[in-house]
Amino acid sequence: MHTVKNWFNRSLAAQALVLFVLGLGFGAVFRRGDHPALWAVQSLLYTAVIIGILAYQRRRTARATGARPGTVVDLNRRIRHRDVPADPEERAVMRRLVEDQLGKMERGSRWLPYWLGFMGLIAVGMVVLGATSGSLAFPVVFAVGVIVFCSWILWMRKRAMGLHHHMRSALRERG
């Protein structure tokens, strides 16, 4: 399982394959009346857009840190495990990576309340529409899903910020 996880983390082709299959599955479930070729074309389009965005982000992070994308993946794994490298060059790359990612998270925190508020408005709007139409089952499930999703985002952000702040201080101590 460990090698499959590492292969999936490093390979855009593996991620593209999983995205395509998931898109095809969603097309089959939610667009039963359409032709299967349409499912495949839509899934291919969505996969291409998402993989293009991921490749751009990987390239941008690699340029910011001065490392190859594979090295960045390994360093991110080491950050998650709170493992500080012994090699000074690797520590310098990790320091740049931590600073880059902390900067992104701190810049993103400015918009986080607005996004969460927007998600809350959508959930409340769905419940109101459901109440006026007489069907509350789907809107309530949707609202609960939005609340769980927003809570998960906040928890993951707090966890990532804690990990990165820990790594920043650990890298400064050994620096």
Side-chain angles (χ1 to χ4, degrees):
M1 183 66 173
H2 182 67
T3 56
V4 172
K5 186 177 176 183
N6 283 338
W7 175 66
F8 185 72
N9 273 341
R10 290 177 160 272
S11 172
L12 281 177
Q15 294 171 8
L17 178 65
V18 169
L19 283 171
F20 178 75
V21 170
L22 284 173
L24 201 59
F26 278 113
V29 169
F30 294 113
R31 298 182 177 263
R32 289 187 184 139
D34 293 342
H35 195 272
L38 183 61
W39 305 340
V41 169
Q42 286 177 335
S43 182
L44 186 66
L45 177 69
Y46 297 150
T47 301
V49 169
I50 291 170
I51 292 298
I53 291 169
L54 287 175
Y56 172 75
Q57 287 177 341
R58 276 186 164 189
R59 202 171 333 121
R60 184 172 171 259
T61 302
R63 272 187 277 145
T65 60
R68 294 186 342 250
T71 306
V72 171
V73 169
D74 290 337
L75 290 176
N76 276 324
R77 184 190 53 77
R78 292 182 86 169
I79 289 171
R80 285 191 307 272
H81 292 271
R82 297 177 182 246
D83 181 21
V84 179
D87 180 34
E89 185 178 313
E90 210 173 357
R91 268 198 318 270
V93 172
M94 184 179 272
R95 189 176 299 119
R96 288 190 299 267
L97 177 64
V98 167
E99 292 299 326
D100 180 56
Q101 290 179 348
L102 270 174
K104 287 178 186 175
M105 284 188 271
E106 288 167 355
R107 283 190 304 273
S109 69
R110 176 179 31 174
W111 293 101
L112 187 63
Y114 299 111
W115 280 109
L116 293 175
F118 180 68
M119 296 288 285
L121 282 174
I122 290 173
V124 168
M126 286 293 289
V127 170
V128 168
L129 285 173
T132 58
S133 71
S135 173
L136 273 176
F138 177 74
V140 168
V141 170
F142 181 80
V144 168
V146 167
I147 290 169
V148 168
F149 180 69
C150 290
S151 299
W152 176 76
I153 287 174
L154 290 173
W155 176 75
M156 287 298 292
R157 183 180 182 285
K158 181 180 177 185
R159 182 175 170 259
M161 292 287 282
L163 282 172
H164 283 78
H165 281 297
H166 169 77
M167 287 306 291
R168 177 195 276 169
S169 64
L171 288 167
R172 284 184 182 159
E173 287 175 5
R174 290 197 186 177

